[in-house]
């Protein structure tokens, strides 16, 4: 009703744009008690949850939606990893690619291990999601508090076009980098186990499951083996999270300010705040995800290869990160760093769709 009223009023007033009307109405709803709680029997304004309660809700919902998103895109994730590491584990020198097309790759996985093999390693991925999300969220929020003060506006309050206390892009960049680094280091062993379970060939399994993988890695490689490839992983995680937070936040602010996207916004009926609509949220999330993937994918290929070295090579045959980069560049050229990029990009939109809207 509010949207219809704004459009109707805008058409009547000719040259006046809808933005001033939105600002007056949302300001009135938020600032004037007689409009937020009229004496006509309407519902009172709902009291906001405390910051701790809100954080716990977001962590739980984020973890569940993350598990759903990872499960939905698990076949593409496994195919990406197999593309990245196939030249290291294949016994056929004339077949450096796992498959020529994505369809052939998925069919090859099903043919070798059945339909459920498309989700191999997904259990570890979901198990990794909750602690990773929790650490990442708290570190990000904590860093924003340190950089901008604990009284800074929340992301929800920033959606209000009236606010003049938006968090700076630099703050988001630093907070995203610190949060990504901390979460990555804390949860890295689960990520490594997931990669090794995912790349196991049917009939030639080294590990029988998550527990067995942890036990054998520590026994054969020592505790340090659980952090094999951590350096390249940080080179992926830090720019990945920084780019994602910055791009998404910047695009959201632009979409809320520019009249070009007026019809794609929505108005919260309880608070009167103007927020991103469905398509804007999906577009901003997909754009940030795809951009961060394109920038960090070469390092992701290097880290995946380093993660499986202990599974397939003797200690004196394993390479350091610089050696791995030189070897990959010499054998496959620049394109070798981007093997598996297509399925990785394909999973961005469905992942964003599930994560943001579930």
């Amino acid at each position: 009703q509010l949207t219809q009223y704004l459009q109707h009023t805008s058409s009547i007033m000719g040259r006046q744009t809808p933005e001033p009307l939105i600002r007056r109405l949302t300001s009135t709803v938020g600032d004037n008690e007689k409009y937020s709680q009229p004496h006509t029997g309407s519902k009172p304004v709902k009291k906001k949850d405390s910051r701790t309660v809100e954080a716990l809700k977001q962590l739980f919902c984020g973890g569940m939606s993350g598990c759903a998103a990872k499960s939905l895109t698990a076949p593409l994730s496994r195919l990406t990893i197999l593309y990245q590491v196939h030249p290291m584990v294949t016994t056929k020198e004339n077949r450096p690619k796992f498959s020529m097309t994505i369809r052939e790759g998925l069919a090859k996985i099903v043919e070798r291990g059945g339909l459920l093999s498309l989700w191999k390693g997904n259990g570890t991925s979901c198990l990794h999601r909750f602690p990773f999300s929790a650490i990442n969220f708290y570190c990000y929020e904590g860093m924003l508090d340190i950089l901008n003060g604990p009284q800074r506006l929340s992301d929800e309050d920033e959606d209000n076009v009236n606010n003049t206390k938006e968090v700076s892009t630099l703050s988001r960049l630093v907070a995203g980098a610190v949060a990504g680094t901390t979460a990555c280091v804390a949860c890295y062993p689960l990520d490594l186990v997931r990669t090794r379970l995912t790349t196991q060939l049917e009939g030639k399994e080294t590990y029988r499951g998550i527990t067995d993988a942890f036990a054998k890695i520590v026994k054969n490689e020592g505790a340090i083996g659980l952090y094999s490839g951590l350096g390249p992983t940080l080179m992926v995680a830090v720019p990945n999270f920084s780019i994602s937070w910055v791009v998404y936040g910047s695009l959201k602010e632009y979409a809320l300010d520019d009249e070009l996207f007026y019809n794609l916004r929505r108005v919260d009926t309880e608070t009167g705040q103007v927020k991103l609509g469905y398509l804007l949220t999906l577009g901003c999330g997909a754009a940030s995800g795809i951009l961060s993937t394109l920038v960090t994918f070469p390092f992701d290929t290097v880290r995946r290869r380093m993660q499986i070295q202990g599974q397939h090579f003797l200690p004196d045959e394993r390479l350091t990160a610089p050696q791995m980069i030189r070897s990959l560049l010499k054998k496959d050229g620049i394109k070798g760093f981007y093997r598996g990029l297509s399925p990785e990009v394909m999973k961005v939109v469905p992942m964003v769709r599930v994560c943001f809207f579930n």
Side-chain angles (χ1 to χ4, degrees):
Q1 291 177 345
L2 178 58
T3 303
Q4 293 175 351
Y5 170 76
L6 292 174
Q7 292 173 342
H8 175 67
T9 308
S10 177
S11 63
I12 292 176
M13 299 181 69
R15 295 179 59 186
Q16 185 169 357
T17 62
E19 184 176 3
L21 296 174
I22 294 177
R23 289 186 174 177
R24 287 201 298 272
L25 286 173
T26 54
S27 175
T28 303
V29 172
D31 300 335
N32 195 326
E33 187 175 353
K34 71 178 182 179
Y35 287 100
S36 62
Q37 294 185 354
H39 300 288
T40 58
S42 61
K43 294 181 180 180
V45 175
K46 184 179 178 180
K47 184 179 179 181
K48 283 188 177 182
D49 292 323
S50 68
R51 199 163 182 176
T52 302
V53 173
E54 186 65 28
L56 291 175
K57 285 182 179 180
Q58 291 190 34
L59 286 177
F60 176 76
C61 294
M64 293 301 294
S65 64
C67 289
K70 284 184 174 292
S71 298
L72 176 67
T73 59
L76 290 174
S77 295
R78 189 180 183 206
L79 186 59
T80 295
I81 296 174
L82 290 174
Y83 271 126
Q84 290 174 315
V85 305
H86 181 71
M88 291 182 65
V89 299
T90 184
T91 57
K92 301 177 181 179
E93 294 185 0
N94 62 334
R95 295 291 298 275
K97 290 185 177 181
F98 181 73
S99 66
M100 299 305 295
T101 65
I102 294 176
R103 184 175 180 179
E104 287 180 10
L106 294 174
K108 187 175 181 179
I109 294 173
V110 174
E111 181 183 356
R112 288 181 173 181
L115 185 63
L116 292 179
S117 64
L118 291 170
W119 281 268
K120 179 176 285 189
N122 186 57
T124 314
S125 184
C126 291
L127 185 63
H128 170 274
R129 181 68 187 184
F130 278 96
F132 188 90
S133 297
I135 295 171
N136 186 38
F137 179 82
Y138 272 113
C139 287
Y140 180 73
E141 291 293 320
M143 280 303 300
L144 286 183
D145 286 344
I146 293 174
L147 296 173
N148 299 276
Q151 302 304 319
R152 66 177 176 83
L153 291 175
S154 66
D155 286 341
E156 181 178 349
D157 293 330
E158 281 194 56
D159 287 344
N160 190 341
V161 294
N162 284 309
N163 84 75
T164 58
K165 299 180 180 179
E166 295 176 352
V167 175
S168 68
T169 299
L170 179 60
S171 295
R172 294 185 188 278
L173 181 67
V174 174
V178 172
T181 301
T182 306
C184 182
V185 172
C187 303
Y188 186 76
L190 280 171
D191 184 49
L192 181 136
V193 168
R194 177 244 180 159
T195 300
R196 294 198 178 185
L197 292 176
T198 299
T199 56
Q200 288 190 127
L201 301 177
E202 283 69 20
K204 300 180 181 180
E205 288 86 353
T206 305
Y207 312 114
R208 296 191 300 271
I210 298 174
T211 305
D212 185 56
F214 272 106
K216 286 183 177 178
I217 291 173
V218 172
K219 179 181 178 181
N220 298 330
E221 305 171 41
I224 194 67
L226 293 172
Y227 288 89
S228 178
L230 178 61
T233 300
L234 291 178
M235 296 179 72
V236 173
V238 174
N240 194 337
F241 282 103
S242 297
I243 293 172
S244 295
W245 285 114
V246 170
V247 173
Y248 179 78
S250 299
L251 288 177
K252 183 179 76 171
E253 292 171 6
Y254 176 75
L256 289 173
D257 290 338
D258 198 303
E259 286 306 312
L260 178 65
F261 304 102
Y262 169 69
N263 290 327
L264 297 178
R265 303 170 192 158
R266 66 183 179 87
V267 178
D268 192 306
T269 56
E270 292 185 356
T271 64
Q273 291 180 350
V274 180
K275 297 184 177 182
L276 299 183
Y278 174 88
L279 292 178
L280 282 178
T281 303
L282 183 62
C284 292
S288 64
I290 291 174
L291 180 60
S292 62
T293 296
L294 293 175
V295 172
T296 61
F297 195 79
F299 293 107
D300 189 63
T301 299
V302 173
R303 85 180 181 101
R304 293 298 185 192
R305 293 188 170 206
M306 293 194 67
Q307 286 178 332
I308 68 166
Q309 282 191 119
Q311 186 177 0
H312 299 281
F313 298 95
L314 296 174
D316 58 347
E317 297 176 333
R318 298 169 194 168
L319 304 178
T320 63
Q323 290 173 335
M324 181 70 73
I325 293 174
R326 288 195 295 268
S327 174
L328 185 57
L329 192 60
K330 181 179 179 181
K331 291 180 179 179
D332 301 321
I334 296 296
K335 66 180 182 180
F337 291 94
Y338 288 93
R339 291 191 190 278
L341 179 63
S342 295
E344 184 70 12
V345 171
M346 285 178 62
K347 76 178 188 181
V348 170
V349 173
M351 277 201 73
V352 171
R353 166 64 182 84
V354 175
C355 282
F356 275 86
F357 301 104
N358 285 1

